[in-house]
Amino acid sequence: MAAPSEKLMKLLPLIRDYARSFNGTYGHSLRERNLSQLRTRGNKIGKTAAQLHCQPKRPSSCTKLPLVFIPGLAVVKAVSFGFGNSAPAAKESPPSNPGAAKTQTIIAEADRLYEDNDPIQLYNYLIQFKDIENDGILWRLARAACDKGKFLGRKDKTQRRVCVYEAFEYAKKALALNKENFACHKWYAILLDYTGEYEGMKQRISNAYTVKEHFLKAIELNPRDSTSMYSVGYWCYAFADLAWYQRNIAAALFASPPKSTYEEALGYFQKAEEVDPGFYSMNLVMLGRTYMHLGKPEPATHYLKMAIQYPVKTADDEQAHKEAQELLKKLGVKQ
């Protein structure tokens, strides 16, 4: 039997696929912000966000960026996953201390600052309330700390690590206070996976079960949470896409290695698109990629062309265009 180091070296392809799955899933903060801004504008003119985003061929003013990726890893607009005024189910459950006027004021100001796209200012505002036991404040603080880490991590990667672990503590407290808040489950899942990046791939893959469990709970609590649906879909795809030898290696290292099917992944990608058409360019790519694996070139071509027509606003959109073009070439489709 190979030494542990050799096993891990052989596991690199699995690690690559798994890491790519989460890197395409959680780029959440930028997309959440953009999505919220678009939906806010949609409310002002009397349209739902779905109406604003359903036509990827329209000008850039009509585009929509989600999750979680992690993406801008998709991005999750955990503050409000609603669709204009038509989907009350998309709102988070009441905070654990909803009666406090001070709490509501803090949350309202935090949401306003979030729209200003300044992660440092938002973090500095929320950190002074870190000892208030309110899930609505704490999951927002977890998100803010995570965003701060991404911002500072561009120049100092150690700062990202510090912020990720800090954010995870807030996410754990938020979830302990209110297990009926979908945003608490969402951010717990995101940050659990992020901490796994620093604890080794074996731990990260071991965390995969819990990550999926909390995304599924977020969807259960908020059936219109398209970015969590995408995240689960990517999770399923990553483990369905393992080669036989990678499965054998994983089985040698783990008693019950994660596994899934393309059909299961497709179901989540389809549901996400149904709930929120055109919400994320990478969801279109993954629909196309999954249909290719299932031997269905026509729907694959349809979604890949939609991805190419998707206006480019983020690095994720650029990546989506690149991947869609490469996949269409494999299908023999002229562009």
Side-chain angles (χ1 to χ4, degrees):
M1 179 177 290
S5 60
E6 295 176 333
K7 290 182 180 178
L8 290 177
M9 289 298 293
K10 292 180 180 179
L11 192 59
L12 283 176
L14 182 155
I15 294 171
R16 176 203 63 205
D17 292 342
Y18 182 72
R20 286 181 61 193
S21 75
F22 280 90
N23 282 335
T25 301
Y26 307 121
H28 296 286
S29 302
L30 175 60
R31 270 199 186 67
E32 293 180 49
R33 189 173 297 116
N34 290 340
L35 180 56
S36 176
Q37 292 172 340
L38 288 171
R39 286 174 174 162
T40 300
R41 292 197 294 269
N43 286 336
K44 291 181 179 178
I45 63 176
K47 295 182 178 180
T48 66
Q51 290 173 318
L52 287 173
H53 302 295
C54 65
Q55 297 294 335
K57 290 185 179 181
R58 291 182 181 178
S60 59
S61 61
C62 176
T63 65
K64 157 172 142 175
L65 303 173
L67 90 190
V68 178
F69 290 132
I70 193 197
L73 299 146
V75 179
V76 181
K77 182 54 185 179
V79 132
S80 171
F81 258 92
F83 298 81
N85 297 317
S86 62
K91 298 178 181 178
E92 62 178 283
S93 58
S96 51
N97 184 20
K102 178 182 179 181
T103 295
Q104 297 304 317
T105 300
I106 294 170
I107 289 176
E109 178 63 10
D111 291 349
R112 185 192 68 78
L113 291 172
Y114 185 69
E115 301 303 327
D116 290 341
N117 302 337
D118 187 340
I120 304 301
Q121 182 182 12
L122 175 58
Y123 173 85
N124 289 340
Y125 172 73
L126 282 174
I127 192 61
Q128 61 186 316
F129 307 114
K130 65 182 179 66
D131 295 323
I132 295 180
E133 294 194 349
N134 178 274
D135 55 290
I137 291 175
L138 287 172
W139 78 251
R140 286 172 171 82
L141 179 55
R143 181 185 62 185
C146 182
D147 287 351
K148 175 186 175 183
K150 292 177 185 177
F151 180 80
L152 297 178
R154 294 182 298 181
K155 295 183 178 180
D156 183 355
K157 294 187 181 301
T158 60
Q159 286 295 316
R160 181 181 184 274
R161 175 173 182 159
V162 170
C163 290
V164 161
Y165 278 96
E166 178 188 357
F168 189 41
E169 290 304 310
Y170 302 138
K172 288 190 289 187
K173 290 180 181 179
L175 185 61
L177 286 169
N178 190 354
K179 291 182 171 58
E180 299 305 310
N181 189 330
F182 82 96
C184 295
H185 286 278
K186 183 194 305 288
W187 281 98
Y188 181 89
I190 293 169
L191 289 161
L192 174 61
D193 182 64
Y194 279 167
T195 60
E197 294 180 11
Y198 302 107
E199 296 173 2
M201 269 305 131
K202 183 174 180 179
Q203 183 60 47
R204 193 179 190 192
I205 296 176
S206 297
N207 290 345
Y209 293 105
T210 305
V211 168
K212 182 181 181 182
E213 175 186 338
H214 283 280
F215 274 127
L216 289 175
K217 185 62 177 180
I219 295 170
E220 176 187 331
L221 293 170
N222 177 7
R224 300 187 68 81
D225 184 354
S226 57
T227 55
S228 282
M229 293 175 191
Y230 168 83
S231 299
V232 177
Y234 218 137
W235 189 101
C236 294
Y237 179 92
F239 289 107
D241 201 37
L242 297 182
W244 66 268
Y245 65 89
Q246 293 172 326
R247 295 181 190 281
N248 289 342
I249 294 172
L253 294 175
F254 306 100
S256 300
K259 55 186 176 181
S260 185
T261 65
Y262 294 120
E263 288 81 2
E264 185 179 10
L266 181 64
Y268 283 104
F269 295 138
Q270 288 176 324
K271 183 61 177 178
E273 199 65 23
E274 174 186 331
V275 165
D276 196 357
F279 77 103
Y280 184 32
S281 57
M282 285 302 298
N283 194 62
L284 299 173
V285 172
M286 292 310 301
L287 279 164
R289 190 183 291 277
T290 307
Y291 272 120
M292 286 177 65
H293 278 289
L294 294 173
K296 298 181 179 181
E298 291 187 6
T301 300
H302 170 73
Y303 285 109
L304 293 172
K305 285 185 174 180
M306 288 180 66
I308 289 179
Q309 294 164 358
Y310 202 100
V312 176
K313 290 293 183 181
T314 69
D316 271 4
D317 296 331
E318 293 178 1
Q319 183 64 25
H321 276 227
K322 179 180 178 181
E323 291 187 21
Q325 289 171 348
E326 293 174 351
L327 292 171
L328 285 172
K329 287 181 180 179
K330 291 183 179 180
L331 289 171
V333 178
K334 294 183 180 180
Q335 303 173 46

